[in-house]
Amino acid sequence: MRTALTDLTGVRHPIVQTGMGWVSGPRLVTATARAGALGILASATMSPDQLRSAVREVRSRTDAPFGVNLRADAGDARERVRIIVEEGVRVASFALAPSKELIAELKDAGVVVVPSVGARRHAEKVAAWGADAVIVQGGEGGGHTGNVATTVLLPQVVDAVDIPVIAAGGFHDGRGLVAALAYGAGGVAMGTRFLLTSDSTVPDTVKARYLAATVKDITLTTAVDGLPHRMLRTEMVAELEGAGRLRSLYHALRRASGFRRLSGLSRLGMVRDGRALRHGKELTWSQVLLAANTPMLLKASMVDGRTDLGIMASGQVAALIEDLPSVAELVARVMAEAERTLTVLGAESSRAANSSPSGD
């Protein structure tokens, strides 16, 4: 299936596996690339050296295109951009809008730039700055998300920009892919669906919690870091929502220290990142400190399997997922279902046309 996304990135199928911290590592990205979709390495939870090593690991396993996701506001963003360029990575995606200068630097090196956005005005801004495409995530999506549904946000952005738009938030099958294409998107991006595959390194006990979730078990909370964050409702989420400020800050500082050691960031670097996080947002310094909680709370679940101590970011679509296929099986299934859906729609359109009264 050829679309603006496949033409831009060189992949066979218009499907993107998003960059999820502690989840989108070399194993998952390699499996996605081999399956013909666009795998994205999540670099925010890696040190620069770990990122370079992860890129080389994927490259050693496949010659298919893949990408790297990074935070544009991170203090070492330019160092990570240099790694992307030096290692010949095809796509750079961003959780936050990159600067005009950062976009230009990547494009000059032949890297495809794909920021993620949650509002039309943000898409218009990065498009004007030279972004090659945008991932548009509606409020159904997991992790940090907005409050506008994909079915409203997606057509807004498609109508506002002249670059390929990739739809995210609420997608898990071929029917969703066809719906996104009908809105004018060039493909779909999926996180939770790729997390719930046999190629994902997330512990089986954690995957079981996702598979058992109903729509009512997936919540949107600001208790973790002061920003809207969609995740499974767990004991930890309930504890965070009921915790007082001093208790929350105490635990946040401990986990922030742990993340500093894992990521290789200096204390000064974390302060710079905190300032960048506050920029343009009405966050107190207390909320910034709580934001440092997030990587370690995610690691507790996604790596250590401690669902009692961690959080589990999740799109609402988790309530519709019931199995753990391999990535190759998943991508093949999505594409086959999309083709069947298009065939059925074409047949129904033909029948409707043939049954119209003469002269209509």
Side-chain angles (χ1 to χ4, degrees), residues 323-338:
D323 61 353
L324 299 171
S326 69
V327 166
E329 291 168 340
L330 171 63
V331 172
R333 180 197 301 177
V334 170
M335 295 311 302
E337 187 173 19

Side-chain angles (χ1 to χ4, degrees), residues 205-227:
T205 53
V206 177
K207 292 178 182 177
R209 289 290 296 267
Y210 278 95
L211 293 177
T214 67
V215 171
K216 293 183 179 180
D217 296 321
I218 304 164
T219 188
L220 189 67
T221 182
T222 59
V224 175
D225 55 15
L227 298 172

Side-chain angles (χ1 to χ4, degrees), residues 11-284:
V11 296
R12 300 196 309 273
H13 307 303
I15 300 172
V16 177
Q17 163 252 303
T18 59
M20 300 167 280
W22 307 114
V23 177
S24 301
R27 176 174 159 179
L28 183 61
V29 172
T30 299
T32 303
R34 286 176 172 172
L38 182 64
I40 304 290
L41 276 169
S43 79
T45 51
M46 300 177 184
S47 68
D49 287 343
Q50 289 171 334
L51 170 59
R52 191 183 293 275
S53 176
V55 168
R56 290 179 176 178
E57 184 174 345
V58 176
R59 182 71 72 209
S60 71
R61 296 178 178 180
T62 179
D63 58 1
F66 66 96
V68 169
N69 177 266
L70 61 157
R71 282 179 47 193
D73 62 340
D76 59 358
R78 288 196 175 277
E79 181 180 358
R80 293 169 185 267
V81 165
R82 186 172 67 252
I83 292 171
I84 289 173
V85 172
E86 290 174 352
E87 297 297 330
V89 176
R90 175 64 176 163
V91 176
S93 72
F94 290 88
L96 297 172
S99 66
K100 185 176 181 179
E101 293 72 25
L102 211 56
I103 293 175
E105 183 176 342
L106 285 161
K107 286 175 66 71
D108 287 346
V111 180
V112 174
V113 181
V114 186
S116 295
V117 299
R120 180 177 63 184
R121 67 181 184 278
H122 297 154
E124 291 172 332
K125 178 175 70 174
V126 296
W129 287 352
D132 296 294
V134 288
I135 295 176
V136 177
Q137 178 174 299
E140 301 95 322
H144 290 116
T145 193
N147 55 10
V148 180
T150 303
T151 51
V152 175
L153 181 60
L154 178 58
Q156 276 188 335
V157 175
V158 167
D159 291 343
V161 299
D162 294 324
I163 58 177
V165 175
I166 303 158
F171 298 99
H172 76 293
D173 62 8
R175 296 172 301 174
L177 173 56
V178 171
L181 296 176
Y183 274 114
V188 296
M190 304 187 296
T192 305
R193 176 66 274 196
F194 277 99
L195 185 156
L196 294 174
T197 61
S198 61
D199 290 297
S200 163
T201 58
V202 172
D204 290 341
T205 53
V206 177
K207 292 178 182 177
R209 289 290 296 267
Y210 278 95
L211 293 177
T214 67
V215 171
K216 293 183 179 180
D217 296 321
I218 304 164
T219 188
L220 189 67
T221 182
T222 59
V224 175
D225 55 15
L227 298 172
H229 205 150
R230 189 173 296 285
M231 61 187 67
L232 295 189
R233 179 170 290 283
T234 62
E235 300 88 342
M236 173 57 71
V237 173
E239 179 183 339
L240 289 171
E241 289 179 337
R245 179 173 296 182
L246 289 178
R247 184 180 176 190
S248 296
L249 287 176
Y250 169 72
H251 289 295
L253 286 169
R254 289 186 60 190
R255 294 187 180 102
S257 178
F259 178 62
R260 183 182 66 80
R261 291 192 300 271
L262 281 172
S263 65
L265 283 174
S266 64
R267 288 186 173 85
L268 179 59
M270 292 192 72
V271 170
R272 284 198 301 263
D273 285 358
R275 289 181 182 275
L277 183 64
R278 285 186 84 230
H279 182 69
K281 303 181 182 71
E282 295 182 359
L283 296 181
T284 66

